[in-house]
């Protein structure tokens, strides 16, 4: 998972026309460490359909504040610079919950993409 180093890099990443899912985390976060073992498999499963980026809330704190991230780990889907859907709460997230969120993000992304194509 590509780690975002600053706010400018984050902005460039979310401007993609492809689906981007930002994972907001921190080194000290126990629930973030809980997802670490299975996230590479989740990332691999969806690699042809979306890109995950990691945002360390301590290193790139301005971004998490601007995005209204209150609890971590949090997942926010973006495309074309717009937020599409988010999975944000203070509870530990299971692999199943994360994959359910990814599925919802893909559904929203494809729905918006299909609508845009019909308008052209």
């Amino acid at each position: 998972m590509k780690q975002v180093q600053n706010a400018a890099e984050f902005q460039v990443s979310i401007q993609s026309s492809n689906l981007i899912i930002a994972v907001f985390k921190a080194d000290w976060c126990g629930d973030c460490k809980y997802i670490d073992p299975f996230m590479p498999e989740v990332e691999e499963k969806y690699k042809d359909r979306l890109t995950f980026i990691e945002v360390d809330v301590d290193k790139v704190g301005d971004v998490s504040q601007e995005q209204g991230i209150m609890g971590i780990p949090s997942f926010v889907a973006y495309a074309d610079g717009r937020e599409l859907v988010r999975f944000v709460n203070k509870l530990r997230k299971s692999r199943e919950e994360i994959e359910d969120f990814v599925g919802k993000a893909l559904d929203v992304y494809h729905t918006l993409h299909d609508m845009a194509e019909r308008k052209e």
Side-chain angles (χ1 to χ4, degrees), residues 1-2 4 10 13-14 16 18-24 39 42-43 46 49-55 74-79 84-87 98-106 109:
M1 190 176 317
K2 180 181 177 228
V4 172
F10 175 79
S13 295
I14 69 168
S16 173
N18 297 320
L19 181 61
I20 305 295
I21 296 184
V23 182
F24 293 84
M39 279 308 295
V42 173
E43 191 173 4
Y46 295 99
R49 295 180 274 170
L50 60 93
T51 300
F52 284 95
I53 60 172
E54 183 177 319
V55 182
S74 290
F75 296 78
V76 184
Y78 301 90
L84 303 182
V85 63
R86 62 174 47 205
F87 180 28
I98 293 167
E99 289 196 31
D100 284 348
F101 167 76
V102 170
K104 288 175 189 165
L106 284 163
Y109 173 76

Side-chain angles (χ1 to χ4, degrees), residues 68-97:
I69 304 301
M70 301 297 182
I72 53 175
S74 290
F75 296 78
V76 184
Y78 301 90
D80 297 315
R82 295 186 326 226
E83 179 180 324
L84 303 182
V85 63
R86 62 174 47 205
F87 180 28
V88 177
N89 62 38
K90 63 181 181 177
L91 304 175
R92 176 175 281 183
K93 286 134 183 90
S94 69
R95 179 177 181 158
E96 181 178 296
E97 290 171 321

